[in-house]
Amino acid sequence: MKTIEKILYHLKSEGPVTAKVLAEKFELTTMGIRQHLQGLEEDGLVDFTDVKVKVGRPTRHWQLTEKGHRRFADRHHDLAVHMLESVEDLFGKAGLDQVIAKREQQTYLHYQQALSSCENLDDKLARLAQLRAQDGYMAELITTENGYTLVENHCPICRAAQHCPTLCQSELTVFQRLLGDDVSIERQEHIISGQRRCTYRITLLN
C-alpha cells in the first residue's frame, strides 16, 4: 500500500490526527508526511483544523473531507440505490419493506451460523466485529469499563441507507437478535447523521 493510501486509511479508521503521529506510525519524517498531506489537501481529500493548546502554537489536526470519505465508498452503491428506487416505484413502500425484511433475515441467518460456536458474549462480539470487517464496515471492537463499543469506521451501504434509513434500523435489529434480550445495544454515533463513524454501546443487563 502506498504511503498516501496508508494515510487516508488511517484518517478513515482513526479520525483527525497530527502529522507527527502519522510520521511516527509510518516511520517517516514529519516533513515528508506534511508533503503528502499537502498533496492530498490540493486534491481535496483532506483538510485540517488548528486546535489550541495551553502552551505554544496550535496543533494542526488533519482529517478526511467529504470527498476523502467518498474514496472508500462501495463502487456498487449507485446500483443499490437505483434498485431500491425501482422496487419502491414498482411495488410501493410495502414492497420495499419486504425486500429490507428479507435482507435482514438473510443477514441474521448468516451471522447466526457464524456465531453458533461462540461460548460467551466476548466471543460473539469478537466474531461479529470480524464479520462486519469482512463485509466492508472497517469494524473493530473496543472493551470499555461498562461493556463494549462496536465501531464501524465505514459504511458500504451509506448511500442506500440515506435513501432508505430503515436499513440502519434493520442492522441494529440483527445485532439485538444475535446477542439476545439480556444485552443492551445503543447506537451512539451514526454516519448518515453526519458523524465520522457508527458506534454501538453494548452492555450486559443485570
Side-chain angles (χ1 to χ4, degrees):
M1 188 184 296
K2 294 181 179 179
T3 299
I4 59 172
E5 296 297 333
K6 291 179 181 179
I7 292 172
L8 291 172
Y9 189 91
H10 185 87
L11 293 175
K12 179 67 174 172
S13 59
E14 301 295 334
V17 70
T18 64
K20 181 179 178 182
V21 170
L22 289 172
E24 291 174 351
K25 179 175 179 61
F26 300 127
E27 299 182 346
L28 297 170
T29 64
T30 303
M31 181 61 71
I33 288 292
R34 286 186 179 134
Q35 289 175 346
H36 285 302
L37 288 169
Q38 287 169 1
L40 291 169
E41 183 186 19
E42 291 172 1
D43 292 337
L45 298 174
V46 304
D47 58 18
F48 62 83
T49 301
D50 288 331
V51 180
K52 292 183 179 180
V53 294
K54 292 182 179 180
V55 180
R57 293 184 298 177
T59 302
R60 179 157 294 182
H61 288 71
W62 294 85
Q63 66 256 331
L64 293 180
T65 62
E66 183 178 349
K67 181 179 178 181
H69 281 290
R70 289 201 302 268
R71 279 284 293 262
F72 293 85
D74 184 83
R75 63 181 180 272
H76 301 302
H77 64 269
D78 287 331
L79 176 61
V81 171
H82 292 326
M83 289 184 67
L84 290 174
E85 290 174 342
S86 297
V87 169
E88 191 168 16
D89 288 343
L90 290 170
F91 306 107
K93 186 178 183 302
L96 181 60
D97 289 343
Q98 289 183 40
V99 170
I100 293 172
K102 180 66 173 179
R103 175 186 181 273
E104 177 183 312
Q105 181 65 7
Q106 289 176 333
T107 301
Y108 169 72
L109 292 174
H110 170 60
Y111 286 1
Q112 183 189 46
Q113 183 178 12
L115 269 62
S116 62
S117 62
C118 296
E119 298 181 354
N120 51 50
L121 183 60
D122 285 355
D123 292 344
K124 286 183 178 180
L125 290 174
R127 182 66 177 127
L128 179 60
Q130 183 183 43
L131 290 167
R132 298 296 282 177
Q134 291 172 354
D135 287 343
Y137 290 84
M138 293 177 66
E140 57 183 318
L141 182 67
I142 299 173
T143 302
T144 66
E145 291 183 2
N146 300 318
Y148 310 84
T149 298
L150 176 64
V151 178
E152 295 182 344
N153 292 294
H154 178 59
C155 178
I157 64 166
C158 183
R159 286 284 298 279
Q162 287 172 334
H163 175 77
C164 185
T166 51
L167 281 169
C168 293
Q169 181 57 46
S170 175
E171 296 199 328
L172 190 57
T173 299
V174 168
F175 295 162
Q176 188 68 71
R177 290 177 66 189
L178 286 168
L179 301 179
D181 294 336
D182 58 343
V183 175
S184 170
I185 307 174
E186 177 188 0
R187 183 186 284 115
Q188 294 183 301
E189 297 177 75
H190 202 187
I191 290 175
I192 68 170
S193 297
Q195 293 165 303
R196 182 181 68 81
R197 60 188 187 175
C198 289
T199 62
Y200 302 86
R201 183 172 64 183
I202 301 169
T203 54
L204 187 61
L205 300 175
N206 294 327

